[in-house]
Amino acid sequence: MTQRGPVVCATDLSTTGAEAVELGARVASATGRQLHVVHVTGVGPEIFEGEPISEADRVYRERLEERLEAAEKGLEKACATAAALGPKAQSVLLRGRPWEALVDYAQRCQASLLCVGSHGHGGARKAQRREVTEWILGSTADRVLRPAPCPVLVGARREV
């Protein structure tokens, strides 16, 4: 980690993710750092080789492509919103498990700060299977905290 590395801000493209992007953009602007707005998606259509083997396979591939295109558009919109707040921002679309991909990316770019939202699309869940911290923070934020190579800022969810 470098003291002058970028602020990496993760978004799941939800309302909470937008709040995390705003928070990350403000920190990056105040500290003069570059902002990397990151979204992690699952497996993309590039894993498929050859022609679809059935109608179901064709539909599945089309839906994956549509989902990837929607993620790219949402990420570009989030990046533009962040850039309007002042910092130089770039968008990064990653593949894989969100917590693993975020920690790996923060390590590779030598991030000075990793900013995440507290809860995404699913919202808060009852603390039955995991620790109370997951209930408070959200599962991705909880899983990012321990192995992160830099400080992690978890944005609190604003109640409307």
Side-chain angles (χ1 to χ4, degrees):
M1 178 184 79
T2 64
Q3 294 300 319
R4 297 303 301 167
V7 172
V8 174
C9 185
T11 178
D12 64 354
L13 307 176
S14 69
T15 303
T16 306
E19 292 171 357
V21 169
E22 180 182 339
L23 181 61
R26 292 188 188 284
V27 170
S29 182
T31 59
R33 290 185 170 89
Q34 188 178 51
L35 179 68
H36 294 195
V37 181
V38 178
H39 176 69
V40 183
T41 186
V43 178
E46 68 279 353
I47 67 160
F48 300 112
E49 295 180 7
E51 294 298 314
I53 58 173
S54 66
E55 181 63 15
D57 186 34
R58 184 191 63 75
V59 170
Y60 179 66
R61 291 179 189 204
E62 284 178 5
R63 289 194 178 156
L64 279 177
E65 287 175 5
E66 290 169 2
R67 186 172 143 198
L68 187 60
E69 287 172 10
E72 289 170 346
K73 288 178 184 175
L75 182 58
E76 288 300 322
K77 182 179 175 186
C79 191
T81 300
L85 293 172
K88 181 177 177 189
Q90 72 178 51
S91 62
V92 180
L93 184 63
L94 302 173
R95 307 271 194 305
R97 291 181 173 155
W99 54 92
E100 291 173 349
L102 290 172
V103 169
D104 179 61
Y105 184 76
Q107 179 72 43
R108 284 186 288 126
C109 75
Q110 298 180 335
S112 58
L113 179 70
L114 178 56
C115 183
V116 296
S118 60
H119 292 284
H121 290 293
R125 291 180 170 73
K126 292 182 181 178
Q128 293 176 351
R129 295 186 306 159
R130 297 255 318 154
E131 301 172 11
V132 173
T133 55
E134 183 177 312
W135 177 71
I136 294 169
L137 298 174
S139 61
T140 299
D142 179 53
R143 291 176 180 146
V144 164
L145 283 172
R146 290 173 190 84
C150 60
V152 178
L153 176 61
V154 181
R157 186 172 196 159
R158 288 188 243 172
E159 296 300 322
V160 179

